[in-house]
Amino acid sequence: MYYCNEGHILIIASALFLLVGCYAVLFSAFLPLTRIYLLDILARDTHYKYFVVLVVPMTVYFVIANWVGWQYYRNS
C-alpha cells in the first residue's frame, strides 16, 4: 500500500503549478485552444496570467522574510 504524506502532496502541487504556469506564459501563444475552460482563459489573457505566476513566489518570499525578522526580534 502506498502512503502519500505532506511532502508528496507538496511536490505534486508544485509540479502542477509549474506546468500550468509554463503553459500560461510560454506555450499558450503557440498552441491552439484546448477546450479546457481554465486553460483557455489563461491562453486568452494578456496581462493577469503573468501576475498569477509571479504572485506565489513573492508571497512565499514575503512570508519567509517576515518569519526570519520575527525570529531575530524574539531572540534579541
Side-chain angles (χ1 to χ4, degrees):
M1 179 181 234
Y2 182 71
Y3 179 70
C4 186
N5 60 12
E6 292 86 12
H8 290 110
I9 294 171
L10 181 65
I11 290 173
I12 291 169
S14 298
L16 185 64
F17 182 77
L18 177 69
L19 290 174
V20 171
C22 285
Y23 173 78
V25 175
L26 301 173
F27 304 129
S28 65
F30 304 111
L31 297 174
L33 295 178
T34 60
R35 287 188 258 175
I36 300 173
Y37 181 70
L38 181 64
L39 293 179
D40 289 345
I41 288 175
L42 288 173
R44 288 189 201 116
D45 190 25
T46 57
H47 177 68
Y48 287 107
K49 63 182 173 185
Y50 305 113
F51 176 74
V52 170
V53 171
L54 293 175
V55 78
V56 171
M58 289 307 299
T59 303
V60 169
Y61 171 74
F62 181 75
V63 168
I64 291 172
N66 278 322
W67 178 78
V68 169
W70 179 250
Q71 293 300 317
Y72 285 155
Y73 173 75
R74 282 182 46 192
N75 294 322
S76 64

